[in-house]
Amino acid sequence: MAFKPLHLFTITLLACNPLKTPAAELSREQISAQIAAGAPLKLANRDLSGLDLSGMDLQGADLFSANLDGARLDRAKLHGVNLNRAQLRKASLRGADLSNASLYAVVMDDADLTAANLAGSRVIGLLNGANLSGADLTGADFGADMANQGMAPARVEMNNAVLAGADLRGVNLTHAVMAYAKLQNADLRGARLRWANLSGANLSGANLADADFNHANLDSAALHGVQGLAAASGLAVSAGAKQ
């Protein structure tokens, strides 16, 4: 059976990181003790699923390929952490600081990132159904990794994601897959959305000034009441958008 490249990327991630029943290897208390002792937080490949790590200072932690499915990381300090290949499906990161973090090949489907700070972060992976309402993504790089395409495209997939009211100024979303994403009243000034799939997306009330939509797919996208339309590029050739 033949699969499209994007499907291969999805299947590869899920096959390597199957969803597990929460069975954390460490407790919150054990992690707190490591922090208090000043020891480096080496949590790579650890199963931390279902843990409540809300409000914890995890800056500098190595969370490579860690399983954080269903974990609570609300208001956690994750500035600059390594979350490459980590699993955070249905995790709660409301108000968390993920600025300048590395999230390459991450799996965050249905995660709650309401009001989270992802400014300057690097994100590639799966965020289908994720809630980023009011999140700060200024200057973040969600663009495809053109140097590592091969059979499995290294890009971000955010179908049905919620980004209402999010700050996306200057964000790179080149080749992003965002079908039916909810971007009402989002700030997309200066955002790069070349070749992005925004079919069926709702951009009502969003600010699109200086955004680059060249070659983007906006079929059936809602553009009611958008701002900065005249200053955006590429929208004139995007057929099927609803204004």
Side-chain angles (χ1 to χ4, degrees):
M1 179 178 180
F3 293 96
K4 295 180 180 180
L6 182 59
H7 293 165
L8 277 172
F9 179 54
T10 304
I11 291 167
T12 300
L13 284 174
L14 295 180
C16 294
N17 300 289
L19 186 61
K20 301 176 183 178
T21 301
E25 297 177 34
L26 297 172
S27 67
R28 179 186 175 98
E29 290 70 28
Q30 288 173 312
I31 295 174
S32 294
Q34 287 187 40
I35 295 171
L41 283 175
K42 298 181 179 179
L43 302 172
N45 300 300
R46 284 302 190 79
D47 188 344
L48 307 173
S49 56
L51 275 186
D52 185 352
L53 303 172
S54 300
M56 293 190 71
D57 187 347
L58 301 169
Q59 294 183 81
D62 181 4
L63 288 158
F64 175 84
S65 200
N67 180 3
L68 289 153
D69 286 336
R72 297 193 65 85
L73 292 148
D74 300 334
R75 303 174 307 284
K77 296 179 181 178
L78 295 158
H79 171 81
V81 301
N82 178 6
L83 280 161
N84 296 336
R85 298 196 67 81
Q87 305 168 63
L88 294 109
R89 282 164 289 198
K90 297 186 177 180
S92 182
L93 297 106
R94 297 173 66 90
D97 181 5
L98 289 152
S99 57
N100 297 309
S102 182
L103 298 97
Y104 197 95
V106 72
V107 183
M108 300 183 79
D109 288 341
D110 300 311
D112 187 352
L113 291 142
T114 301
N117 180 6
L118 289 99
S121 60
R122 180 67 174 114
V123 185
I124 288 285
L126 307 178
L127 288 88
N128 296 303
N131 188 349
L132 294 106
S133 299
D136 181 356
L137 283 75
T138 52
D141 188 355
F142 282 63
D145 182 356
M146 303 310 293
N148 291 290
Q149 290 302 301
M151 292 183 64
R155 66 185 68 184
V156 72
E157 187 176 298
M158 303 173 72
N159 296 313
N160 297 297
V162 180
L163 295 109
D167 191 340
L168 295 142
R169 286 175 295 168
V171 69
N172 179 16
L173 286 162
T174 305
H175 285 284
V177 181
M178 303 175 69
Y180 299 98
K182 299 170 181 62
L183 291 143
Q184 299 98 313
N185 302 310
D187 191 343
L188 286 153
R189 285 177 289 173
R192 288 172 283 165
L193 295 120
R194 295 175 66 88
W195 302 101
N197 180 0
L198 290 155
S199 57
N202 190 343
L203 292 103
S204 299
N207 192 332
L208 311 181
D210 300 316
D212 184 355
F213 288 92
N214 280 288
H215 306 290
N217 178 0
L218 282 98
D219 288 346
S220 301
L223 298 170
H224 308 296
V226 295
Q227 304 172 53
L229 189 61
S233 61
L235 284 175
V237 293
S238 297
K242 302 174 183 176
Q243 296 186 47

